[in-house]
């Protein structure tokens, strides 16, 4: 199903736009300076959109200073109090995240929607498995999340609002994937994907890579967040690595290497580390293969732009599986790096 395009500040979501990476500050939003400092770090890491909790009037007061100091769109995360959502919208945030069913009467929803329309501010409906409405709690969790999302969407559509993004998040990978697959077959709104409460870095990155990766391989998802306990900069790095692994982000070199075996005649781990440090980074995409022997050389790395396969103290350079030169291992490594950097600097 074709997905409609929503604009969050200067970032396009859906409509075939590149997958954007999001994160969320964990500073006290009322401390504008601390929040700005963290957002600056997130920007440097490659974050496309950032979200901050807005939980009282003092958070709202901090928003103008924050907005004036950052360079990426800011999303206000609101729960229950529709007045905070209106105030954040009037302060200039680029998107509101809330659930229409959690703010009370239809009159309140209409008041908020009227404000969002007036300011051109999109809304993200954020459904979490841990806070489903009572009427859906007897259903399978994935189905309950879908039904909750559809209920919230219907509330906004009844108010004539369609500038909507939707997320369905659970801490379980399978539940998350099932829910998104079900909903994506029904609606054409952009989807914000991720596995929520994934945990600390070690397990959280694995759960996120599996869940987010499975959805993106199905063509599901328009923006993502990797949810990790700790420094949010790690979330951005993990999100970008997931996109690179799927070739959805081609901003850096990809180095492939074999796991080594008894045939390996060089210190391959050292060679890979050396090549990784010497080639130009963030200068465009180039697939480089560093392989331990002829068995895992040009044949298995045929789609690499350039690579090297080692023998005992020797190396063979190849491009797209075709041999181009051979010689001493150290000399071939240097030539590999020189040829790779020449391509990246063109």
């Amino acid at each position: 199903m074709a997905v409609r395009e929503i604009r969050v500040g200067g970032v396009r979501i859906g409509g075939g736009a590149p997958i954007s990476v999001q994160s969320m500050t964990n500073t006290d939003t009322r401390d504008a300076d601390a929040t700005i400092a963290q957002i600056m770090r997130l920007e440097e890491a490659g974050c496309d959109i950032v979200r901050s909790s807005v939980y009282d009037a003092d958070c709202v007061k901090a928003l103008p200073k924050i907005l004036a100091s950052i360079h990426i769109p800011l999303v206000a995360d609101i729960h229950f109090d529709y007045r905070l959502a209106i105030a954040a919208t009037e302060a200039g945030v680029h998107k509101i995240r809330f659930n229409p069913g959690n703010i009370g009467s239809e009159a309140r929803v209409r008041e908020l929607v009227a404000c969002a329309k007036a300011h051109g501010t999109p809304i993200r409906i954020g459904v979490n498995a841990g806070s489903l409405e009572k009427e859906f709690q007897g259903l399978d969790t994935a189905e309950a999340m879908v039904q909750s999302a559809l209920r919230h969407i219907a509330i906004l559509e009844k108010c004539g609002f369609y500038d909507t993004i939707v997320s369905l998040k659970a801490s379980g990978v399978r539940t998350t994937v099932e829910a998104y697959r079900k909903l994506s077959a029904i609606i054409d709104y952009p989807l914000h994907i991720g596995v929520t409460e994934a945990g600390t870095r070690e397990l959280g990155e694995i759960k996120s890579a599996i869940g987010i990766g499975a959805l993106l391989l199905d063509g599901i998802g328009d923006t993502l967040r990797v949810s990790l306990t700790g420094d949010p900069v790690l979330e951005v790095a993990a999100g970008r690595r997931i996109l690179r692994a799927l070739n959805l982000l081609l901003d850096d070199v990809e180095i492939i290497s074999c796991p080594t075996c008894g045939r390996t005649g060089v210190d391959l781990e050292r060679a890979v580390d050396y090549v990784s440090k010497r080639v130009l980074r963030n200068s465009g995409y180039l697939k480089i293969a560093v392989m331990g022997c002829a068995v895992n050389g040009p044949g298995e790395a045929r789609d690499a732009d350039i690579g090297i396969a080692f023998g005992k103290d020797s190396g063979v350079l190849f491009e797209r599986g075709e041999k181009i030169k051979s010689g001493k291992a150290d000399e071939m490594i240097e030539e590999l790096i020189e040829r790779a950097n020449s391509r990246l600097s063109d």
Side-chain angles (χ1 to χ4, degrees), residues 95-299:
K95 184 173 71 174
I96 296 291
R97 185 272 193 189
F98 84 111
N99 287 341
N102 291 344
I103 65 171
S105 67
E106 183 177 319
R108 291 179 177 180
V109 175
R110 287 190 176 278
E111 187 177 347
L112 173 53
V113 167
C115 181
K117 282 183 176 180
H119 290 82
T121 307
I123 292 172
R124 171 158 76 92
I125 294 171
V127 175
N128 278 1
S131 56
L132 291 167
E133 299 92 326
K134 289 182 180 180
E135 60 262 40
F136 301 127
Q137 290 180 0
L139 301 174
D140 165 80
T141 303
E143 180 63 25
M145 293 168 68
V146 170
Q147 292 304 318
S148 177
L150 292 175
R151 175 173 174 262
H152 294 315
I153 290 169
I155 293 172
L156 292 186
E157 289 183 341
K158 187 177 179 182
C159 296
F161 191 87
Y162 302 91
D163 204 9
T164 305
I165 298 165
V166 185
S167 67
L168 305 169
K169 294 192 178 181
S171 59
V173 174
R174 186 181 298 274
T175 299
T176 299
V177 171
E178 288 178 357
Y180 277 112
R181 284 175 174 167
K182 285 174 179 283
L183 187 64
S184 67
I186 302 171
I187 68 169
D188 67 349
Y189 291 106
L191 295 175
H192 172 119
I193 62 174
V195 179
T196 195
E197 299 155 2
T200 55
R201 184 176 184 179
E202 184 175 359
L203 180 59
E205 285 195 11
I206 293 172
K207 291 173 68 175
S208 297
I210 295 169
I212 292 171
L215 291 169
L216 291 175
L217 285 172
D218 283 350
I220 299 169
D222 306 284
T223 184
L224 66 86
R225 180 194 176 192
V226 175
S227 298
L228 301 176
T229 302
D231 188 346
V233 169
L234 299 177
E235 298 182 346
V236 177
R240 295 177 72 82
R241 282 195 292 269
I242 290 170
L243 292 178
R244 289 184 185 120
L246 297 173
N247 285 339
L248 293 172
L249 179 63
L250 301 176
D251 66 335
D252 201 1
V253 296
E254 177 185 4
I255 299 178
I256 63 171
S257 59
C258 63
T260 75
C261 67
R263 290 186 296 267
T264 308
V266 298
D267 185 343
L268 191 67
E269 186 176 1
R270 178 174 172 271
V272 172
D273 182 65
Y274 181 74
V275 171
S276 179
K277 290 177 178 176
R278 290 283 308 280
V279 295
L280 295 173
R281 307 312 297 254
N282 302 309
S283 297
Y285 180 74
L286 192 70
K287 189 170 186 177
I288 302 172
V290 184
M291 312 300 279
C293 71
V295 173
N296 286 322

Side-chain angles (χ1 to χ4, degrees), residues 46-63:
C47 186
D48 298 304
I49 299 171
V50 66
R51 177 162 48 112
S52 293
S53 296
V54 177
Y55 38 86
D56 63 23
D58 287 332
C59 290
V60 175
K61 290 178 182 177
L63 290 176

